[in-house]
């Protein structure tokens, strides 16, 4: 069979607005990719010409990154220095889903820090808040960790990306977007 014959033989259900949806989704992805590239260019300049403290990195790079991912940093879905009475420590940011469940702890460090020294913090936050994934970042380096399968096991380091690698790895970054997190049972899935 030729491709045309196969196309004619295989039934294609009529799904209204499919083309419109796919066009909108493609436009949204292109817009996100463009904004991500702009963010990377701007952040690279900041890192190149400024000596940043942890607070500077949060204000100039990490908060804009969280906002770029669709999180309204002025809403209850993003809380700074979040803790509960039973928690040990406070992640710099906690990202919540629509139901109010803490989903992603984000720990920020200054760009001159070695993130290896702080893995214990993100591990503690993942276990304490029973979150699926956690992000440890300097604004120049991004490390994503998956929650351990049991309380006794270690967290799973999923990946490390440098700032310049974010656009090329857009699909990985996509899982941290607010719309994806709020609409999924498990971010790590």
């Amino acid at each position: 069979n030729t491709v045309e014959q196969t196309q004619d033989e295989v039934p294609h259900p009529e799904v209204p607005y499919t083309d419109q949806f796919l066009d909108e989704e493609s436009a949204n992805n292109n817009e996100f990719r463009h904004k991500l590239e702009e963010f990377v260019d701007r952040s690279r300049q900041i890192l190149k010409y400024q000596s940043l403290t942890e607070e500077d990195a949060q204000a100039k790079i990490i908060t804009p990154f969280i906002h770029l991912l669709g999180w309204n940093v002025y809403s209850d879905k993003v809380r700074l220095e979040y803790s509960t009475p039973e928690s040990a420590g406070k992640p710099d940011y906690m990202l919540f889903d629509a139901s109010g469940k803490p989903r992603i702890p984000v720990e920020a460090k200054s760009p001159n820090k070695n993130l290896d020294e702080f893995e214990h913090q993100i591990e503690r936050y993942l276990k304490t808040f029973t979150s699926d994934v956690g992000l440890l970042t300097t604004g120049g380096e991004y490390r994503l960790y998956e929650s351990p399968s049991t309380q006794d096991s270690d967290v799973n380091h999923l990946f490390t990306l440098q700032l310049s690698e974010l656009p090329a790895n857009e699909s990985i970054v996509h899982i941290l977007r607010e719309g994806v997190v709020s609409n999924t049972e498990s971010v790590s899935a």
Side-chain angles (χ1 to χ4, degrees):
N1 282 350
T2 67
V3 172
E4 291 79 20
Q5 289 171 326
T6 303
Q7 290 290 343
D8 291 338
E9 293 171 7
V10 175
H12 297 282
E14 291 294 321
V15 181
Y17 309 111
T18 301
D19 292 338
Q20 178 184 349
F21 171 77
L22 293 175
D23 289 343
E24 287 174 12
E25 187 69 17
S26 177
N28 289 340
N29 286 340
N30 287 336
E31 181 180 347
F32 176 71
R33 185 175 303 113
H34 178 69
K35 287 181 179 180
L36 183 60
E37 289 169 353
E38 285 179 346
F39 164 79
V40 167
D41 289 342
R42 184 176 53 251
S43 299
R44 288 172 84 181
Q45 293 301 311
I46 291 169
L47 288 167
K48 183 175 181 179
Y49 294 109
Q50 298 180 25
S51 176
L52 303 178
T53 64
E54 180 178 316
E55 292 77 15
D56 292 332
Q58 286 177 303
K60 296 177 181 183
I61 299 174
I62 301 164
T63 298
F65 179 68
I66 291 170
H67 184 75
L68 172 69
L69 294 173
W71 296 92
N72 180 349
V73 296
Y74 304 106
S75 75
D76 282 348
K77 286 188 173 184
V78 178
R79 298 192 196 160
L80 304 177
E81 299 293 328
Y82 177 74
S83 69
T84 62
E86 59 276 350
S87 64
K90 301 176 183 180
D92 293 309
Y93 303 83
M94 180 61 80
L95 309 180
F96 288 78
D97 66 13
S99 71
K101 179 181 187 263
R103 294 296 293 270
I104 303 174
V106 178
E107 183 62 25
K109 297 298 173 196
S110 67
N112 62 350
K113 297 290 184 183
N114 179 348
L115 291 181
D116 291 340
E117 299 172 21
F118 303 99
E119 285 184 345
H120 67 281
Q121 279 186 282
I122 202 71
E123 181 173 1
R124 184 173 64 235
Y125 300 148
L126 286 169
K127 289 179 178 181
T128 299
F129 299 108
T130 60
S131 299
D132 295 331
V133 296
L135 183 65
L136 179 60
T137 182
T138 63
E141 181 178 350
Y142 297 79
R143 292 186 182 183
L144 190 70
Y145 295 86
E146 181 180 37
S147 186
S149 55
T150 67
Q151 285 287 36
D152 297 331
S153 58
D154 292 334
V155 296
N156 182 19
H157 179 189
L158 296 174
F159 68 83
T160 297
L161 293 175
Q162 299 304 315
L163 177 67
S164 60
E165 297 173 312
L166 293 179
N169 293 280
E170 175 191 346
S171 60
I172 295 173
V173 174
H174 183 76
I175 67 169
L176 298 171
R177 292 180 73 180
E178 190 277 333
V180 173
V181 171
S182 289
N183 295 317
T184 59
E185 291 284 324
S186 168
V187 177
S188 58

